[in-house]
Structures are given as structure tokens and as C-alpha cells.
Amino acid sequence: MITLGWTWATSFAAKMYRKDTQLPIVTMRSLFHNVVVVASLAGLAQSSVMAQKSPAYSFIQKISLPGDGKWDYLKMDGERERLFVSHFDRVHVIDLATSKPIGDITGLHGVHGIALAKALKKGYISNGTDSTVTVFDYNTFRVLKTINVPGKKPDAILFDKYANRIFAFCNGDKVAIAIDAKTDEVVGKVEVGEAPEFAVTTDDGLVYVNLEDSNEVVAFDPKTLTVKHKFSLGTGVQPTGLAMDAATNRLFSVCRKSKTLVVLDAATGKIVQTVPIGGGVDAVVFDKERKLVMTSNGEGTVTIMHQDSPDTYSVVQTLPTKPGQKTLVHRGTTHRIYLSGADLQADGKTPVAGTFGVYVYGPAANE
């Protein structure tokens, strides 16, 4: 920043000096000195603003959890301070007040995502291996029902308040399955397109979902189950994670092949900015208070960006994590992020037995 100020100062001073002005040399030196001082202060001010943006995230703790096998989505319930962690054949439930596990939902088959219908005191889990959705009691964690879904490999799952429905997005198919949250019966499906991934809801009439194979974001009406919009993200980008800033109506789609965050206007689909991020990305979150977009990259980093304006984003930190930590959730009250994972063997893929857990990262307490 100071270098930019110096360049501007010298250019300005040079323009001020012309042969026809015949300024005394002392006056010229004074003018040049004053311009440089102002420019330097401006540069320092800009540097200070950038420093204030920087969240200075770092590792806080690991919450160790039993069992081995693959992991996927996490689900945050900030109101009751609970964290739900998918883990192969079970979902762990952690009390965030104590950072201790308080229960497990077991007997699952290739678990992927978790959705919560808290007003109905129920939760839902997508099982990719046997194409089912498990319904559980939110208070006791007891399994209430297993729903067979007419689609292959349900992956992402969410609850939409507007329609009072659960949507299971079948990554091995082209559909999102709609489930009535009161009756727990399948009531329809949406033909969204190839390989749906992460999804978000506005809770007022639209659900957005990334399409991994066709490189698009699709928006549909959760009541009529009709597609309203299709927005292109480019060619060969492979979108995975999706988040939204409702206040500015911006979508944040992270793309694994292109290693980019694509920011879209949710109303028009216009791409307003593309930001480079780390490799192996799977998820993205938005901290609306601090205006931070954070992406979990399987290579072992989190890319943290500041929302300077609805259409301008700047990288403020690349946080080292651990290879394989590719999904995350955000806790609004503490601004902490939670990533699941395990130590990996020499092949970089196989988990080391007994090392699974949730890794917590966040800003310093006084920031």
C-alpha cells in the first residue's frame, strides 16, 4: 500500500512542476515532502483496514470421536448448542457447551447429510448406500422411521420451512425427493438435473442447489416442485458447496476442478466475482456478522475471504488445517468453524484407525 502511495506521490509532484511555473527549489521540495507524507498516511490507513479485516483464525481444539470410516456433512444447531457429525454408519451428537459427545444415531448405511425440523422435534439423515432417509427424535436420538426414497444415493438434505418439507438430493440421480415433514411420507420430486450437491433455502419460496456434472445452480419452488432458474457457473468447474448471504442476495458456489469461489446474484444468475481458493473443496459457509466467506479445502486449508461489498471479495487468510478436512459448519455466536476428519495413512486417503474427530478453529477470544 505504501509503495502505491509513493508512486502516486512522485507522479503528482512531477505534474505539479513545469518549466513555465519556475517554482523555487525550496518550494518544490516542500511540496514534494507534503505529498509523500499524505500518500504514506493513506497507504498506512489502507493497510490498517486490511489488518482489521483479517480474522486471524487458528486451531483451538480437537473433539475426539469413536469409530472409523468415511465422513461427510456436519449440521449446526446454534440455539441448542449441538453439533451433528456424519460418520459412515452413525451420526455423533456433540454438546458444544462442554465439547463432549452426548449421543449417537446408529444403524445407518453410508450416511451423508443431516437436516433438522426443530419445531417438530425431529431430524433427518440421508443414507447413500441404501437410498434411504432416517427419521430420528431430536430429544432422544431414537430412530422413528426409515423412508425409502425413489432416487439413487441421497446426499445433501435440508428442511424448508416455507413448504414444511424435507428435500433429499440424490447425487446418483437427477432428482430432489420431497418428504412431508409432518407425515414423513414422500410427496413428490423435482427433476433438478445431473448430480445435485449442496443446497440452500431462502425459506420464502426458493431452494438453490449446485449441479456437479452440468456446472449449474438450479432454483426451484419447494411447494410446486417446479424449476424456476438455471444459472451457469462455467465449463468444467465441478461445483460442490453452496452458501448464501440473504441480506445481499448473493450465492457462494465453490468449485472443485477450477479451485474457485463463484459469487452470483441470486436473482439474475450474474457472476459478480470469481476468487481463487484451495484444492479439494467441498463446503463453504458465510459469517454474516463478520462478512467472511470460508471454504474447507480437502488439501488441508481453509480459504477465508472478506466481503468488501456485495460484489467485491478479498482473501484475508489461508488457514492451515489437515488433509481430508473437506466439510465444515459455522457457529454464529462464537464465529468458530468446525471441520471433521482423521489422520491419513501414507496413501493420503485411508484414515488411521482411532483418530477421527472434529477440529475446531476460530479467532482469538478478544477479536
Side-chain angles (χ1 to χ4, degrees), residues 130-155:
D130 62 0
S131 297
T132 62
V133 169
T134 300
V135 187
F136 67 92
D137 184 293
Y138 185 85
N139 295 315
T140 66
F141 312 133
R142 181 174 62 89
V143 172
L144 301 175
K145 185 176 182 178
T146 300
I147 305 169
N148 292 307
V149 298
K152 299 176 183 177
K153 193 184 174 185
D155 193 335

PDB file of all heavy atoms in Angstrom, residues 130-155:
ATOM      1  N   ASP A 130     -27.968 -47.284   0.869  1.00  0.00           N
ATOM      2  CA  ASP A 130     -29.221 -47.999   0.615  1.00  0.00           C
ATOM      3  C   ASP A 130     -30.355 -47.071   0.165  1.00  0.00           C
ATOM      4  O   ASP A 130     -31.516 -47.483   0.142  1.00  0.00           O
ATOM      5  CB  ASP A 130     -29.649 -48.806   1.841  1.00  0.00           C
ATOM      6  CG  ASP A 130     -29.919 -47.937   3.062  1.00  0.00           C
ATOM      7  OD1 ASP A 130     -29.778 -46.700   2.955  1.00  0.00           O
ATOM      8  OD2 ASP A 130     -30.271 -48.494   4.118  1.00  0.00           O
ATOM      9  N   SER A 131     -30.027 -45.822  -0.178  1.00  0.00           N
ATOM     10  CA  SER A 131     -31.008 -44.862  -0.698  1.00  0.00           C
ATOM     11  C   SER A 131     -32.222 -44.715   0.226  1.00  0.00           C
ATOM     12  O   SER A 131     -33.384 -44.918  -0.177  1.00  0.00           O
ATOM     13  CB  SER A 131     -31.457 -45.249  -2.113  1.00  0.00           C
ATOM     14  OG  SER A 131     -30.361 -45.196  -3.005  1.00  0.00           O
ATOM     15  N   THR A 132     -31.940 -44.366   1.474  1.00  0.00           N
ATOM     16  CA  THR A 132     -32.995 -44.146   2.456  1.00  0.00           C
ATOM     17  C   THR A 132     -32.761 -42.834   3.200  1.00  0.00           C
ATOM     18  O   THR A 132     -31.671 -42.247   3.144  1.00  0.00           O
ATOM     19  CB  THR A 132     -33.054 -45.286   3.498  1.00  0.00           C
ATOM     20  OG1 THR A 132     -31.808 -45.331   4.220  1.00  0.00           O
ATOM     21  CG2 THR A 132     -33.318 -46.629   2.839  1.00  0.00           C
ATOM     22  N   VAL A 133     -33.798 -42.393   3.897  1.00  0.00           N
ATOM     23  CA  VAL A 133     -33.702 -41.270   4.830  1.00  0.00           C
ATOM     24  C   VAL A 133     -34.155 -41.761   6.196  1.00  0.00           C
ATOM     25  O   VAL A 133     -35.253 -42.334   6.323  1.00  0.00           O
ATOM     26  CB  VAL A 133     -34.560 -40.074   4.375  1.00  0.00           C
ATOM     27  CG1 VAL A 133     -34.672 -39.026   5.488  1.00  0.00           C
ATOM     28  CG2 VAL A 133     -33.974 -39.441   3.119  1.00  0.00           C
ATOM     29  N   THR A 134     -33.322 -41.561   7.197  1.00  0.00           N
ATOM     30  CA  THR A 134     -33.629 -41.971   8.564  1.00  0.00           C
ATOM     31  C   THR A 134     -34.237 -40.796   9.320  1.00  0.00           C
ATOM     32  O   THR A 134     -33.675 -39.700   9.326  1.00  0.00           O
ATOM     33  CB  THR A 134     -32.374 -42.447   9.300  1.00  0.00           C
ATOM     34  OG1 THR A 134     -31.819 -43.574   8.606  1.00  0.00           O
ATOM     35  CG2 THR A 134     -32.679 -42.829  10.739  1.00  0.00           C
ATOM     36  N   VAL A 135     -35.388 -41.025   9.956  1.00  0.00           N
ATOM     37  CA  VAL A 135     -36.040 -40.011  10.783  1.00  0.00           C
ATOM     38  C   VAL A 135     -35.738 -40.335  12.247  1.00  0.00           C
ATOM     39  O   VAL A 135     -35.892 -41.482  12.681  1.00  0.00           O
ATOM     40  CB  VAL A 135     -37.565 -40.004  10.562  1.00  0.00           C
ATOM     41  CG1 VAL A 135     -38.200 -38.826  11.299  1.00  0.00           C
ATOM     42  CG2 VAL A 135     -37.905 -39.980   9.080  1.00  0.00           C
ATOM     43  N   PHE A 136     -35.302 -39.322  13.017  1.00  0.00           N
ATOM     44  CA  PHE A 136     -34.997 -39.564  14.439  1.00  0.00           C
ATOM     45  C   PHE A 136     -35.629 -38.508  15.326  1.00  0.00           C
ATOM     46  O   PHE A 136     -35.937 -37.394  14.893  1.00  0.00           O
ATOM     47  CB  PHE A 136     -33.486 -39.654  14.673  1.00  0.00           C
ATOM     48  CG  PHE A 136     -32.727 -38.359  14.458  1.00  0.00           C
ATOM     49  CD1 PHE A 136     -32.495 -37.476  15.517  1.00  0.00           C
ATOM     50  CD2 PHE A 136     -32.223 -38.030  13.205  1.00  0.00           C
ATOM     51  CE1 PHE A 136     -31.785 -36.298  15.326  1.00  0.00           C
ATOM     52  CE2 PHE A 136     -31.510 -36.847  13.001  1.00  0.00           C
ATOM     53  CZ  PHE A 136     -31.295 -35.982  14.062  1.00  0.00           C
ATOM     54  N   ASP A 137     -35.843 -38.885  16.589  1.00  0.00           N
ATOM     55  CA  ASP A 137     -36.359 -37.978  17.604  1.00  0.00           C
ATOM     56  C   ASP A 137     -35.246 -37.032  18.032  1.00  0.00           C
ATOM     57  O   ASP A 137     -34.174 -37.490  18.439  1.00  0.00           O
ATOM     58  CB  ASP A 137     -36.884 -38.784  18.798  1.00  0.00           C
ATOM     59  CG  ASP A 137     -37.528 -37.916  19.855  1.00  0.00           C
ATOM     60  OD1 ASP A 137     -36.807 -37.113  20.497  1.00  0.00           O
ATOM     61  OD2 ASP A 137     -38.748 -38.044  20.069  1.00  0.00           O
ATOM     62  N   TYR A 138     -35.520 -35.729  17.959  1.00  0.00           N
ATOM     63  CA  TYR A 138     -34.454 -34.763  18.238  1.00  0.00           C
ATOM     64  C   TYR A 138     -33.988 -34.814  19.692  1.00  0.00           C
ATOM     65  O   TYR A 138     -32.820 -34.539  19.988  1.00  0.00           O
ATOM     66  CB  TYR A 138     -34.924 -33.350  17.902  1.00  0.00           C
ATOM     67  CG  TYR A 138     -33.834 -32.318  18.055  1.00  0.00           C
ATOM     68  CD1 TYR A 138     -32.941 -32.082  17.013  1.00  0.00           C
ATOM     69  CD2 TYR A 138     -33.669 -31.617  19.239  1.00  0.00           C
ATOM     70  CE1 TYR A 138     -31.916 -31.159  17.148  1.00  0.00           C
ATOM     71  CE2 TYR A 138     -32.648 -30.691  19.384  1.00  0.00           C
ATOM     72  CZ  TYR A 138     -31.773 -30.462  18.343  1.00  0.00           C
ATOM     73  OH  TYR A 138     -30.756 -29.567  18.478  1.00  0.00           O
ATOM     74  N   ASN A 139     -34.867 -35.151  20.612  1.00  0.00           N
ATOM     75  CA  ASN A 139     -34.515 -35.134  22.030  1.00  0.00           C
ATOM     76  C   ASN A 139     -33.853 -36.412  22.509  1.00  0.00           C
ATOM     77  O   ASN A 139     -32.913 -36.378  23.309  1.00  0.00           O
ATOM     78  CB  ASN A 139     -35.760 -34.848  22.878  1.00  0.00           C
ATOM     79  CG  ASN A 139     -36.304 -33.451  22.625  1.00  0.00           C
ATOM     80  OD1 ASN A 139     -35.552 -32.479  22.580  1.00  0.00           O
ATOM     81  ND2 ASN A 139     -37.617 -33.348  22.450  1.00  0.00           N
ATOM     82  N   THR A 140     -34.323 -37.559  22.010  1.00  0.00           N
ATOM     83  CA  THR A 140     -33.799 -38.843  22.486  1.00  0.00           C
ATOM     84  C   THR A 140     -32.815 -39.486  21.515  1.00  0.00           C
ATOM     85  O   THR A 140     -32.126 -40.440  21.893  1.00  0.00           O
ATOM     86  CB  THR A 140     -34.952 -39.827  22.726  1.00  0.00           C
ATOM     87  OG1 THR A 140     -35.571 -40.136  21.465  1.00  0.00           O
ATOM     88  CG2 THR A 140     -35.988 -39.236  23.667  1.00  0.00           C
ATOM     89  N   PHE A 141     -32.785 -39.002  20.276  1.00  0.00           N
ATOM     90  CA  PHE A 141     -31.965 -39.558  19.195  1.00  0.00           C
ATOM     91  C   PHE A 141     -32.415 -40.956  18.766  1.00  0.00           C
ATOM     92  O   PHE A 141     -31.695 -41.665  18.059  1.00  0.00           O
ATOM     93  CB  PHE A 141     -30.474 -39.580  19.580  1.00  0.00           C
ATOM     94  CG  PHE A 141     -29.979 -38.290  20.156  1.00  0.00           C
ATOM     95  CD1 PHE A 141     -29.220 -38.273  21.317  1.00  0.00           C
ATOM     96  CD2 PHE A 141     -30.283 -37.082  19.562  1.00  0.00           C
ATOM     97  CE1 PHE A 141     -28.772 -37.084  21.865  1.00  0.00           C
ATOM     98  CE2 PHE A 141     -29.846 -35.876  20.102  1.00  0.00           C
ATOM     99  CZ  PHE A 141     -29.089 -35.881  21.263  1.00  0.00           C
ATOM    100  N   ARG A 142     -33.614 -41.348  19.188  1.00  0.00           N
ATOM    101  CA  ARG A 142     -34.161 -42.646  18.811  1.00  0.00           C
ATOM    102  C   ARG A 142     -34.657 -42.605  17.367  1.00  0.00           C
ATOM    103  O   ARG A 142     -35.309 -41.647  16.946  1.00  0.00           O
ATOM    104  CB  ARG A 142     -35.309 -43.020  19.750  1.00  0.00           C
ATOM    105  CG  ARG A 142     -35.959 -44.370  19.475  1.00  0.00           C
ATOM    106  CD  ARG A 142     -36.971 -44.701  20.559  1.00  0.00           C
ATOM    107  NE  ARG A 142     -38.057 -43.727  20.590  1.00  0.00           N
ATOM    108  CZ  ARG A 142     -39.180 -43.828  19.877  1.00  0.00           C
ATOM    109  NH1 ARG A 142     -39.351 -44.860  19.042  1.00  0.00           N
ATOM    110  NH2 ARG A 142     -40.132 -42.909  19.981  1.00  0.00           N
ATOM    111  N   VAL A 143     -34.376 -43.660  16.601  1.00  0.00           N
ATOM    112  CA  VAL A 143     -34.842 -43.744  15.218  1.00  0.00           C
ATOM    113  C   VAL A 143     -36.350 -43.973  15.203  1.00  0.00           C
ATOM    114  O   VAL A 143     -36.863 -44.898  15.856  1.00  0.00           O
ATOM    115  CB  VAL A 143     -34.116 -44.874  14.456  1.00  0.00           C
ATOM    116  CG1 VAL A 143     -34.747 -45.084  13.083  1.00  0.00           C
ATOM    117  CG2 VAL A 143     -32.636 -44.554  14.319  1.00  0.00           C
ATOM    118  N   LEU A 144     -37.052 -43.115  14.451  1.00  0.00           N
ATOM    119  CA  LEU A 144     -38.505 -43.201  14.380  1.00  0.00           C
ATOM    120  C   LEU A 144     -38.986 -43.921  13.133  1.00  0.00           C
ATOM    121  O   LEU A 144     -40.007 -44.616  13.157  1.00  0.00           O
ATOM    122  CB  LEU A 144     -39.114 -41.787  14.397  1.00  0.00           C
ATOM    123  CG  LEU A 144     -38.791 -40.928  15.618  1.00  0.00           C
ATOM    124  CD1 LEU A 144     -39.366 -39.513  15.417  1.00  0.00           C
ATOM    125  CD2 LEU A 144     -39.349 -41.557  16.888  1.00  0.00           C
ATOM    126  N   LYS A 145     -38.250 -43.751  12.033  1.00  0.00           N
ATOM    127  CA  LYS A 145     -38.707 -44.314  10.769  1.00  0.00           C
ATOM    128  C   LYS A 145     -37.575 -44.316   9.764  1.00  0.00           C
ATOM    129  O   LYS A 145     -36.672 -43.481   9.828  1.00  0.00           O
ATOM    130  CB  LYS A 145     -39.878 -43.480  10.227  1.00  0.00           C
ATOM    131  CG  LYS A 145     -40.540 -44.032   8.964  1.00  0.00           C
ATOM    132  CD  LYS A 145     -41.744 -43.188   8.572  1.00  0.00           C
ATOM    133  CE  LYS A 145     -42.436 -43.750   7.338  1.00  0.00           C
ATOM    134  NZ  LYS A 145     -43.639 -42.969   6.966  1.00  0.00           N
ATOM    135  N   THR A 146     -37.619 -45.248   8.826  1.00  0.00           N
ATOM    136  CA  THR A 146     -36.705 -45.268   7.688  1.00  0.00           C
ATOM    137  C   THR A 146     -37.537 -45.147   6.415  1.00  0.00           C
ATOM    138  O   THR A 146     -38.439 -45.951   6.163  1.00  0.00           O
ATOM    139  CB  THR A 146     -35.874 -46.559   7.650  1.00  0.00           C
ATOM    140  OG1 THR A 146     -35.097 -46.658   8.847  1.00  0.00           O
ATOM    141  CG2 THR A 146     -34.947 -46.561   6.447  1.00  0.00           C
ATOM    142  N   ILE A 147     -37.238 -44.124   5.624  1.00  0.00           N
ATOM    143  CA  ILE A 147     -38.007 -43.835   4.411  1.00  0.00           C
ATOM    144  C   ILE A 147     -37.201 -44.259   3.186  1.00  0.00           C
ATOM    145  O   ILE A 147     -36.067 -43.812   2.994  1.00  0.00           O
ATOM    146  CB  ILE A 147     -38.321 -42.332   4.310  1.00  0.00           C
ATOM    147  CG1 ILE A 147     -39.035 -41.841   5.574  1.00  0.00           C
ATOM    148  CG2 ILE A 147     -39.137 -42.027   3.064  1.00  0.00           C
ATOM    149  CD1 ILE A 147     -39.142 -40.330   5.657  1.00  0.00           C
ATOM    150  N   ASN A 148     -37.776 -45.117   2.357  1.00  0.00           N
ATOM    151  CA  ASN A 148     -37.150 -45.458   1.087  1.00  0.00           C
ATOM    152  C   ASN A 148     -37.447 -44.343   0.079  1.00  0.00           C
ATOM    153  O   ASN A 148     -38.608 -43.969  -0.111  1.00  0.00           O
ATOM    154  CB  ASN A 148     -37.703 -46.781   0.556  1.00  0.00           C
ATOM    155  CG  ASN A 148     -37.285 -47.953   1.415  1.00  0.00           C
ATOM    156  OD1 ASN A 148     -36.110 -48.145   1.689  1.00  0.00           O
ATOM    157  ND2 ASN A 148     -38.264 -48.741   1.861  1.00  0.00           N
ATOM    158  N   VAL A 149     -36.383 -43.804  -0.541  1.00  0.00           N
ATOM    159  CA  VAL A 149     -36.597 -42.694  -1.467  1.00  0.00           C
ATOM    160  C   VAL A 149     -36.443 -43.179  -2.911  1.00  0.00           C
ATOM    161  O   VAL A 149     -35.587 -44.016  -3.205  1.00  0.00           O
ATOM    162  CB  VAL A 149     -35.619 -41.532  -1.188  1.00  0.00           C
ATOM    163  CG1 VAL A 149     -35.846 -40.987   0.219  1.00  0.00           C
ATOM    164  CG2 VAL A 149     -34.184 -41.949  -1.366  1.00  0.00           C
ATOM    165  N   PRO A 150     -37.259 -42.661  -3.826  1.00  0.00           N
ATOM    166  CA  PRO A 150     -37.190 -43.064  -5.241  1.00  0.00           C
ATOM    167  C   PRO A 150     -36.102 -42.311  -5.996  1.00  0.00           C
ATOM    168  O   PRO A 150     -36.356 -41.575  -6.951  1.00  0.00           O
ATOM    169  CB  PRO A 150     -38.583 -42.714  -5.765  1.00  0.00           C
ATOM    170  CG  PRO A 150     -39.003 -41.549  -4.928  1.00  0.00           C
ATOM    171  CD  PRO A 150     -38.414 -41.778  -3.565  1.00  0.00           C
ATOM    172  N   GLY A 151     -34.875 -42.512  -5.571  1.00  0.00           N
ATOM    173  CA  GLY A 151     -33.725 -41.881  -6.201  1.00  0.00           C
ATOM    174  C   GLY A 151     -32.458 -42.540  -5.690  1.00  0.00           C
ATOM    175  O   GLY A 151     -32.453 -43.167  -4.618  1.00  0.00           O
ATOM    176  N   LYS A 152     -31.369 -42.415  -6.444  1.00  0.00           N
ATOM    177  CA  LYS A 152     -30.131 -43.091  -6.087  1.00  0.00           C
ATOM    178  C   LYS A 152     -29.193 -42.167  -5.299  1.00  0.00           C
ATOM    179  O   LYS A 152     -28.997 -41.008  -5.660  1.00  0.00           O
ATOM    180  CB  LYS A 152     -29.402 -43.562  -7.349  1.00  0.00           C
ATOM    181  CG  LYS A 152     -30.186 -44.560  -8.189  1.00  0.00           C
ATOM    182  CD  LYS A 152     -29.426 -44.887  -9.471  1.00  0.00           C
ATOM    183  CE  LYS A 152     -30.227 -45.832 -10.348  1.00  0.00           C
ATOM    184  NZ  LYS A 152     -29.524 -46.106 -11.644  1.00  0.00           N
ATOM    185  N   LYS A 153     -28.659 -42.705  -4.202  1.00  0.00           N
ATOM    186  CA  LYS A 153     -27.630 -42.054  -3.411  1.00  0.00           C
ATOM    187  C   LYS A 153     -28.030 -40.667  -2.910  1.00  0.00           C
ATOM    188  O   LYS A 153     -27.452 -39.655  -3.308  1.00  0.00           O
ATOM    189  CB  LYS A 153     -26.316 -41.959  -4.218  1.00  0.00           C
ATOM    190  CG  LYS A 153     -25.104 -41.592  -3.367  1.00  0.00           C
ATOM    191  CD  LYS A 153     -23.881 -41.409  -4.228  1.00  0.00           C
ATOM    192  CE  LYS A 153     -22.706 -40.897  -3.404  1.00  0.00           C
ATOM    193  NZ  LYS A 153     -21.520 -40.602  -4.257  1.00  0.00           N
ATOM    194  N   PRO A 154     -29.024 -40.584  -2.030  1.00  0.00           N
ATOM    195  CA  PRO A 154     -29.329 -39.291  -1.415  1.00  0.00           C
ATOM    196  C   PRO A 154     -28.109 -38.761  -0.664  1.00  0.00           C
ATOM    197  O   PRO A 154     -27.461 -39.488   0.080  1.00  0.00           O
ATOM    198  CB  PRO A 154     -30.493 -39.605  -0.471  1.00  0.00           C
ATOM    199  CG  PRO A 154     -30.433 -41.083  -0.245  1.00  0.00           C
ATOM    200  CD  PRO A 154     -29.861 -41.668  -1.496  1.00  0.00           C
ATOM    201  N   ASP A 155     -27.816 -37.506  -0.895  1.00  0.00           N
ATOM    202  CA  ASP A 155     -26.579 -36.901  -0.388  1.00  0.00           C
ATOM    203  C   ASP A 155     -26.923 -35.694   0.485  1.00  0.00           C
ATOM    204  O   ASP A 155     -27.174 -35.830   1.679  1.00  0.00           O
ATOM    205  CB  ASP A 155     -25.706 -36.521  -1.585  1.00  0.00           C
ATOM    206  CG  ASP A 155     -24.277 -36.163  -1.210  1.00  0.00           C
ATOM    207  OD1 ASP A 155     -24.054 -35.753  -0.069  1.00  0.00           O
ATOM    208  OD2 ASP A 155     -23.390 -36.270  -2.067  1.00  0.00           O
TER     209      ASP A 155
END
